[in-house]
Amino acid sequence: MGFLTATVIFAVAQTIFTPIIMKLIERYASALISLIGLLSTWVALFVATLFAGGLQITGLSTCIAATVVVWVVTAIGSWVLPLIFLRDKDNKDKKGKKKAQPSADASAA
């Protein structure tokens, strides 16, 4: 149960902190915009460790590794998942479409 709680807290924190950090970086250091994802992931992981008993990160190297791993998995997911869902939607649209039948009114005219 602790890990599930930590996951939910992480997701909420990530959602809250990403736009805030993005605005701060855009305002003060536009050259560092590429670090938004890493920084917001680190902040969200930190917040998740504060409030949940299921997530514990100790040591600088573990903190860096956890941040990079979660960031990479999130980045890959944000690129791959939309492609999967869009492809499934396109397949459903193609299967669901029927050839248009001329109406009786159109043939009578």
Side-chain angles (χ1 to χ4, degrees):
M1 187 67 174
F3 182 74
L4 180 62
T5 304
T7 303
V8 170
I9 290 172
F10 168 79
V12 170
Q14 179 84 4
T15 303
I16 292 170
F17 289 118
T18 298
I20 294 169
I21 292 171
M22 189 166 109
K23 292 238 186 244
L24 290 172
I25 289 178
E26 281 179 345
R27 185 177 213 176
Y28 297 109
S30 60
L32 300 175
I33 288 180
S34 61
L35 296 177
I36 292 170
L38 283 170
L39 188 57
S40 63
T41 299
W42 177 79
V43 171
L45 282 172
F46 178 74
V47 169
T49 61
L50 293 177
F51 292 105
L55 183 64
Q56 183 178 3
I57 301 174
T58 56
L60 180 62
S61 61
T62 305
C63 182
I64 292 170
T67 300
V68 171
V69 167
V70 171
W71 177 75
V72 166
V73 169
T74 304
I76 291 171
S78 68
W79 293 329
V80 172
L81 290 177
L83 296 175
I84 292 170
F85 288 117
L86 290 176
R87 182 175 54 205
D88 286 346
K89 182 180 176 189
D90 289 342
N91 289 339
K92 287 179 184 177
D93 288 345
K94 288 178 184 176
K95 289 178 184 177
K97 288 185 179 177
K98 296 179 181 177
K99 290 186 178 181
Q101 300 291 331
S103 67
D105 294 335
S107 61

